Amino acid sequence: MLYIVGLGLSDERDITVKGLEAVKGSERVYLEAYTSILMVPKERLEKFYGKEVIIAHRETVESDSDSILRDADKVDVSLLVVGDPYGATTHTDLVIRAHELGIQVKTIHNASIMNAVGATGLQLYSFGQTISLVFFTEDWRPDSFYDRVKENSDIGLHTLCLLDIKVREQSIENMMRGRQIFEPPRYMSINLAIEQLLEVEEKRQQKAYTKDTLAVGVSRLGSDDQIIKAGTLKQLLTEDFGAPLHSLVLVGSRLHLLEAEILRSNAVDLEGLNLVLKRDFGIER
Amino acid sequence: MLYIVGLGLSDERDITVKGLEAVKGSERVYLEAYTSILMVPKERLEKFYGKEVIIAHRETVESDSDSILRDADKVDVSLLVVGDPYGATTHTDLVIRAHELGIQVKTIHNASIMNAVGATGLQLYSFGQTISLVFFTEDWRPDSFYDRVKENSDIGLHTLCLLDIKVREQSIENMMRGRQIFEPPRYMSINLAIEQLLEVEEKRQQKAYTKDTLAVGVSRLGSDDQIIKAGTLKQLLTEDFGAPLHSLVLVGSRLHLLEAEILRSNAVDLEGLNLVLKRDFGIER
């Protein structure tokens, strides 16, 4: 059996009891290490499980899936995924390959940013499509996300923005020379995300959002030191959200009274927020 | 401390290790019993936790929150919620009341239908707003959900439809006589949901969807006997999905090749599905 086990959001104790049982019964345990990160090192997982954890990079999961699936028709193997197994990728290739080899696959679900973002006080019902923001480079500043945000905001929905992470990045020189040397990991901050968002609005000018748009920044969701702050993009641009991971929600016009109440409790500037609530949403205290 | 603990989707072992520790350390443990149901009885939870579980009905959580919060500034209390604590409701009133009483609140996240629906093979990124379908009665057949589905389908997004559950329903006679007698619980089936959807399309005629729309029905998600079936609404109308809970996804036009591949593996009629994929999505094998 191949178990694909969601680890949840934060540390080693966010695994479910069912997931932990699968891990303990597995002959090999892989940790998928590219779509997101857990807030604890691999060694802490190993200590907690009482067994070795093998890091599986993107190239392993995508092109060397047979090494993960080896003998999985006879013994149990676990692939650990931060968040829920169906968060960012769906592991389609791996699952299809497993079926071809006659290997049963079982998914053990867990929380991911896609549902835990409800902790911002914004109703999950009122979210439109989710977008991803990637690190801009000098000559690659993709802005197709802008149309997605516009579609959401046109019908009054919130937009969850997932922020880029870069692990195992190679410099062009190292890549060309075939050297397996990697740059330090990078995680996009809420501040940088807002900078990029405003640059694209400046260029596109369709008011999918502006610097006065209400937003909620959230960092290290699910951990003891999670931060949730509500304010305009301009206000959040200079707020400190601490260590990764960061996410950002653009608030849609269909904001409900109860949602506003929670935003108030997370306001970076309550008076300013009340003005925005009145001006943009017609919501008064 | 008040812990609001997500139980996940299916049985007692879907709780996280962190959640289980909170429960074991709590002086009182409440189970919120109205927005969703777990697939196991309360007694199985009690046996697993080694302590009593108090059922908290809607009226308790909403209007008698002080009984839940009693002494929670001195001892730990847990409120268990099926799925994630921020799934259907956000417990706003309870949390605000806790803050007023100087009681700390900690949320322990878990999987919910809102993210686990990725198990259908449809990308979470491509879902629009979620809708709820309620049981139609003779004189109450609300159809405002139709506009929401139309908004999603106009921009090519998938729609997750959550299906009604009725627990602790009173007959009008019992209600008028003030008798605390309740009807047996009812859970909307995928079949009934489709019947209601098609009735509303018949009335509204804006083609938010039709009987030929591709959809995915999913039942008992996260359990060992979960069922996922893809087909047109007309095909799924007569499919047997077994015991509750059921959910339904209407597939949007932005369907991706990889998503189609998984739909094929869940097709009720592969040949028919391939025809629909070609006709409605331009996707060929």
Side-chain angles (χ1 to χ4, degrees):
Chain A
M1 176 88 79
L2 171 69
Y3 289 99
I4 308 184
V5 181
L7 293 186
L9 295 161
S10 172
D11 65 35
E12 72 279 11
R13 296 180 307 127
D14 285 323
I15 196 170
T16 65
V17 172
K18 203 179 269 180
L20 187 58
E21 287 171 2
V23 169
K24 287 196 182 274
S26 285
E27 195 151 297
R28 298 191 309 283
V29 178
Y30 296 90
L31 171 64
E32 184 200 69
Y34 60 89
T35 52
S36 190
I37 52 151
L38 215 60
M39 295 170 210
V40 293
K42 181 184 91 135
E43 290 69 30
R44 210 158 122 188
L45 296 182
E46 290 182 324
K47 201 174 155 202
F48 187 67
Y49 303 150
K51 58 175 62 186
E52 189 199 359
V53 170
I54 307 159
I55 298 285
H57 296 292
R58 183 191 288 267
E59 53 269 30
T60 311
V61 178
E62 286 183 356
S63 54
D64 189 21
S65 51
D66 282 11
S67 74
I68 293 177
L69 295 171
R70 179 172 49 84
D71 295 335
D73 52 338
K74 295 185 282 285
V75 300
D76 288 344
V77 173
S78 287
L79 174 65
L80 310 180
V81 179
V82 176
D84 184 70
Y86 294 98
T89 62
T90 52
H91 306 97
T92 308
D93 294 338
L94 184 67
V95 171
I96 289 174
R97 183 68 186 140
H99 287 318
E100 283 170 3
L101 296 170
I103 295 166
Q104 280 194 292
V105 179
K106 198 153 157 181
T107 300
I108 299 178
H109 290 284
N110 210 321
S112 64
I113 181 71
M114 299 298 240
N115 69 338
V117 69
T120 56
L122 298 169
Q123 297 268 4
L124 292 177
Y125 285 94
S126 300
F127 279 75
Q129 57 203 314
T130 298
I131 63 155
S132 290
L133 296 177
V134 300
F135 281 112
F136 280 180
T137 65
E138 212 154 301
D139 46 11
W140 195 60
R141 307 174 95 74
D143 65 359
S144 61
F145 70 82
Y146 187 86
D147 303 301
R148 306 283 92 80
V149 177
K150 183 82 166 64
E151 287 168 343
N152 288 342
S153 76
D154 280 350
I155 49 180
L157 300 177
H158 312 314
T159 302
L160 170 62
C161 310
L162 302 179
L163 310 189
D164 205 2
I165 73 168
K166 289 274 186 213
V167 291
R168 272 171 79 83
E169 236 189 332
Q170 282 177 295
S171 69
I172 291 175
E173 198 193 330
N174 282 329
M175 200 187 296
M176 284 174 63
R177 292 175 188 261
R179 293 181 191 139
Q180 295 284 303
I181 299 172
F182 302 98
E183 306 299 306
R186 291 192 299 151
Y187 308 98
M188 188 185 285
S189 68
I190 289 167
N191 315 103
L192 179 62
I194 293 174
E195 212 177 290
Q196 294 193 178
L197 281 169
L198 293 178
E199 176 189 313
V200 172
E201 172 59 40
E202 185 67 26
K203 183 175 135 203
R204 301 283 296 266
Q205 298 271 344
Q206 294 169 261
K207 293 211 187 314
Y209 50 84
T210 71
K211 63 180 175 31
D212 297 316
T213 291
L214 190 57
V216 185
V218 49
S219 58
R220 298 175 307 289
L221 184 60
S223 74
D224 280 343
D225 67 343
Q226 73 176 25
I227 292 177
I228 298 175
K229 289 181 183 179
T232 63
L233 286 178
K234 192 178 159 191
Q235 286 173 331
L236 299 184
L237 184 59
T238 52
E239 284 293 318
D240 183 8
F241 285 91
L245 294 175
H246 293 187
S247 305
L248 180 69
V249 182
L250 302 172
V251 176
S253 65
R254 257 189 232 161
L255 186 74
H256 185 272
L257 278 174
L258 273 177
E259 295 177 286
E261 193 55 39
I262 302 285
L263 293 186
R264 282 196 190 95
S265 68
N266 295 319
V268 294
D269 160 21
L270 183 57
E271 211 175 311
L273 178 64
N274 280 327
L275 287 174
V276 173
L277 287 174
K278 191 174 165 186
R279 181 194 69 198
D280 294 354
F281 303 91
I283 294 177
E284 300 202 52
R285 288 235 69 158
Chain B
M1 175 87 80
L2 170 68
Y3 289 100
I4 309 184
V5 181
L7 293 186
L9 296 161
S10 171
D11 65 38
E12 72 279 10
R13 296 181 307 126
D14 285 321
I15 196 171
T16 65
V17 172
K18 202 178 271 179
L20 186 59
E21 287 170 3
V23 169
K24 287 195 182 275
S26 286
E27 195 152 296
R28 299 191 310 283
V29 178
Y30 296 89
L31 171 65
E32 185 201 70
Y34 60 88
T35 52
S36 190
I37 53 150
L38 215 59
M39 295 170 211
V40 293
K42 180 183 90 135
E43 289 69 29
R44 211 157 120 187
L45 295 182
E46 291 182 323
K47 201 174 155 202
F48 187 66
Y49 303 150
K51 58 175 63 186
E52 189 199 358
V53 170
I54 307 157
I55 297 285
H57 297 292
R58 183 190 288 265
E59 54 269 31
T60 311
V61 179
E62 286 182 358
S63 54
D64 188 21
S65 51
D66 282 11
S67 75
I68 293 177
L69 295 171
R70 178 171 50 82
D71 295 334
D73 52 338
K74 296 185 281 288
V75 300
D76 289 343
V77 173
S78 288
L79 174 65
L80 310 180
V81 178
V82 177
D84 184 70
Y86 294 98
T89 63
T90 52
H91 307 97
T92 308
D93 294 337
L94 184 66
V95 171
I96 289 174
R97 183 67 186 139
H99 288 318
E100 285 170 2
L101 296 170
I103 294 167
Q104 278 195 293
V105 179
K106 196 152 158 184
T107 300
I108 300 179
H109 291 284
N110 210 321
S112 64
I113 181 72
M114 298 298 238
N115 69 340
V117 68
T120 56
L122 298 169
Q123 297 267 5
L124 292 177
Y125 286 92
S126 301
F127 279 76
Q129 56 203 313
T130 299
I131 63 155
S132 290
L133 296 176
V134 300
F135 281 112
F136 281 180
T137 64
E138 212 154 302
D139 46 13
W140 195 60
R141 307 174 95 74
D143 64 359
S144 61
F145 70 82
Y146 187 86
D147 303 301
R148 306 283 91 80
V149 178
K150 182 82 166 63
E151 287 168 342
N152 288 343
S153 75
D154 280 350
I155 49 179
L157 300 176
H158 311 315
T159 302
L160 169 61
C161 310
L162 301 180
L163 310 189
D164 205 2
I165 72 169
K166 290 271 186 216
V167 290
R168 272 170 79 84
E169 237 190 332
Q170 281 178 297
S171 68
I172 291 175
E173 199 194 329
N174 282 329
M175 200 187 298
M176 286 175 62
R177 292 176 187 260
R179 294 182 192 139
Q180 294 284 303
I181 299 172
F182 302 97
E183 305 300 305
R186 290 191 299 151
Y187 308 98
M188 190 186 285
S189 69
I190 289 168
N191 316 103
L192 180 61
I194 294 175
E195 212 176 291
Q196 293 193 177
L197 281 169
L198 294 178
E199 176 189 315
V200 172
E201 171 58 41
E202 184 69 25
K203 182 176 135 202
R204 302 284 294 268
Q205 297 271 345
Q206 295 167 263
K207 293 210 185 317
Y209 50 82
T210 71
K211 65 179 175 32
D212 296 316
T213 292
L214 190 57
V216 185
V218 49
S219 58
R220 297 175 308 289
L221 185 58
S223 74
D224 280 344
D225 66 344
Q226 72 176 25
I227 293 177
I228 299 175
K229 289 181 183 179
T232 63
L233 285 178
K234 191 177 158 192
Q235 286 172 332
L236 298 184
L237 183 59
T238 51
E239 284 292 317
D240 182 8
F241 285 89
L245 293 175
H246 293 187
S247 305
L248 180 68
V249 182
L250 302 172
V251 176
S253 64
R254 258 188 233 162
L255 186 75
H256 185 274
L257 278 174
L258 273 177
E259 295 176 285
E261 192 55 39
I262 302 285
L263 293 186
R264 282 195 189 96
S265 69
N266 295 319
V268 294
D269 160 21
L270 183 56
E271 212 175 312
L273 177 64
N274 281 327
L275 287 174
V276 173
L277 287 173
K278 191 174 165 184
R279 181 195 68 198
D280 293 354
F281 303 90
I283 294 177
E284 299 203 50
R285 288 235 70 161

